Amino acid sequence: MKPIVSCRGITKVFGKGELAVHALRGIDLDIMEGDFATLAGPSGSGKTTLLNMVGALDHPTAGEVAIDGQPLSGMSKSALSDLRLNKIGFIFQAYNLVPVLSARENVEFVLRLLRVEPAERRRRADEALAEVGLQGMEGRRPSALSGGQQQRVAIARALVARPRIVLADEPTANLDSTTTKELVDLMYRLNQESGITFLIGTHDPRVMEHSKRHIEMNDGQIESDTRG
Amino acid sequence: METFKLLAPLAWRNLWRNPRRTIITLFVVSVGLWSILAVASFISAWAQSSRDATLRLLIAQGQIHAVGYMDDPNISNLMPPPDEALVAALDTSGISNWVARLELPGVVQSEYKTLPVSLVGVDPEAERRISSIPSKIVEGRYLDGPEDDSAVIGLNLAKRLKTALGRRVILMVTAEDGWLEERSFDVVGIYDADTAFEDTYIFTGRRPMQAMVGVGDKIAQIAFEVPEDAALAGVVERLRAAAPTLDVREWRKISLIMGAMDATMGGVVFIWMAVMMVMISIGVINTQLMAVFERTHEFGLLRALGFKSRHVLLLVTFESVLLIGLGVLIGMIAGAATVWGLSDGIDLSAFGKALEAFKAGDTLYLEVNPIDYIIFPLAIWALGVVVALWPAYRAQKISPVEAMRQAT
Ligand SMILES: Nc1ncnc2c1ncn2[C@@H]1O[C@H](COP(=O)(O)OP(=O)(O)OP(=O)(O)O)[C@@H](O)[C@H]1O
Ligand SMILES: [Mg+2]
């Protein structure tokens, strides 16, 4: 089986000389189709930095990231934008949604960038929102939704364009335990039923409970990578 | 087009996320433009009013002389009365009024003083139609007819000569034969214009003056008036064709100072515009930079989702286009409303003497000048959008990594 994401010898250094921070120190990692992987580790261990590399948001200092077998180095910013649009769904910790757009418009946004026809766009957005349990709230702005509901919209948006992989960085950080459980169950169900690949950076044990694969980072390196 | 449909509503909604700030910017832009339009209307009304008032005294809108008279206004440079062709042209060229005058430099003498003046021989009936002097008599009367051999002098000149109504003054003018001709005149009227004018011009009937200097029916000038300044150039052309041997000029070439003033009035408006533009630029850059920095995370998010940096640039520029466009629109409406609101005229008579120096009439009539309403709004809009490119450029450089950053 070919990996969706493959990282070879990734290092990332912020700053120069005395002040240089080695955020990643040689990461080799393959994310396989259907993985529901959690990425854990102490604060500052490099989880977010690694997700940035995998999500084509930032360039590694050295090493190579490939998505679907396509190496990212040498791609233009515009091509990277297109790649994110087509292959990667993102769920961030907070302020995930565009505040001036309704739930439906937030989900539709990605489809608009992909130039999907209006009717089709709307159908798929409403379908995705229904999938995450937000039927009847399509017209609400983010400010009129709870934190959990906002993250559901973010999940719907991450999924609506059928990406190859969904990257989430601390998606439950601001949520209470009931909401966290609901959200994790939702992502897990989507992974089980639709085979969507997830890579989730998290501190939260309730998220890790479900993981089929657990990656532990420390000081910019992968300490353990266990399936179970 | 698809991009436009995506960005336009987004830009519009973003504008109203911080209504207070948006309203302040709208206020700055619209008040700035409003003031430019108001100042432009006011200055142009003032310039026109003061110009008209000055021209109404004596110059009128144009004059015809013998060649050489303008350089050396003496008795050897007079012209014959208008021939048939010229009279026909004067009566049909779109000229509303015209007069023939004899004007020569001379000296006036009272018991106390001798002063240099310009003696003007006029046809009082015609003068009443073209000049404001007959209506500016403050003591006594204006001249009766072309045969009237008395004198009308200025208020300040009377004071300097220590003469008064009913007294006599002696006028000396070089005659045709080269001798200094002198004659005494009854002062029958005193007029009130500005001091410099009052000190210069003494009026009498044209025929007695022609007889005094022995020039037959020769005259020094024909002054003419047109209803619209815009028609002047064409009128001058036609008169030149009718009188090819004479010197036909419009007022700008007669009073060089007034011509220059006419040209510099526009400069005042442009200085004001420059000041306002600097203010507007600072305001726009300020708010748009704030609006961009506040949304660093959000732009990161948009970029992470597949927005190109070009889209971000367009979005922020779009917001500026809308914001400034709206401000410009409000400013234009406010400007036009102000001018129309004051279209009955601004009464300056209360300022009376204080404004005499500007020689404006007592009432200013403001007008909407359509060109102003195209050029100034466009200039401000363009400027606003150009300066807002800097915040837009900053926004464009925001990296998608910002989306991952935890705190906002
Ligand atoms: N833009 C940056 N400039 C300089 N240093 C950075 C930058 N981004 C991250 N770092 C540093 O890189 C290291 C790894 O950071 P990272 O955010 O990846 O950790 P993390 O595992 O996500 O931590 P947390 O659990 O707190 O989110 C940290 O030491 C951090 O200070
Ligand atoms: Mg992190």
Side-chain angles (χ1 to χ4, degrees), chain B residues 154-169:
Chain B
L155 194 56
N156 199 57
L157 186 67
K159 213 178 329 174
R160 289 172 70 201
L161 292 170
K162 296 190 184 159
T163 189
L165 205 62
R167 309 259 288 271
R168 293 176 78 80
V169 290

Side-chain angles (χ1 to χ4, degrees), chain A residues 100-219:
Chain A
V100 295
L101 298 180
S102 69
R104 177 189 290 127
E105 289 168 331
N106 262 284
V107 178
E108 274 188 299
F109 186 81
V110 206
L111 299 177
R112 296 189 74 143
L113 291 175
L114 286 166
R115 298 180 186 280
V116 177
E117 288 303 306
E120 165 82 354
R121 205 158 72 198
R122 184 175 173 132
R123 191 185 60 70
R124 280 170 66 180
D126 286 0
E127 203 177 277
L129 283 167
E131 178 112 56
V132 299
L134 288 178
Q135 224 151 10
M137 304 198 186
E138 294 89 350
R140 291 204 195 169
R141 293 268 178 104
S143 55
L145 295 169
S146 72
Q149 288 166 337
Q150 289 183 28
Q151 289 306 69
R152 283 164 187 269
V153 177
I155 293 174
R157 185 187 57 201
L159 294 173
V160 75
R162 309 205 178 94
R164 298 287 284 138
I165 183 169
V166 173
L167 302 175
D169 195 15
E170 318 255 9
T172 61
N174 294 330
L175 305 177
D176 61 52
S177 58
T178 328
T179 320
T180 299
K181 183 158 171 16
E182 284 169 11
L183 210 68
V184 175
D185 287 347
L186 172 64
M187 289 192 283
Y188 189 63
R189 181 169 61 77
L190 290 166
N191 170 257
Q192 293 294 67
E193 291 173 3
S194 318
I196 294 159
T197 309
F198 278 88
L199 175 60
I200 308 170
T202 187
H203 289 291
D204 195 330
R206 286 163 302 196
V207 180
M208 297 176 216
E209 266 172 34
H210 280 293
S211 65
K212 294 193 282 187
R213 179 180 178 187
H214 184 67
I215 303 157
E216 193 74 36
M217 287 188 72
N218 196 7
D219 195 19

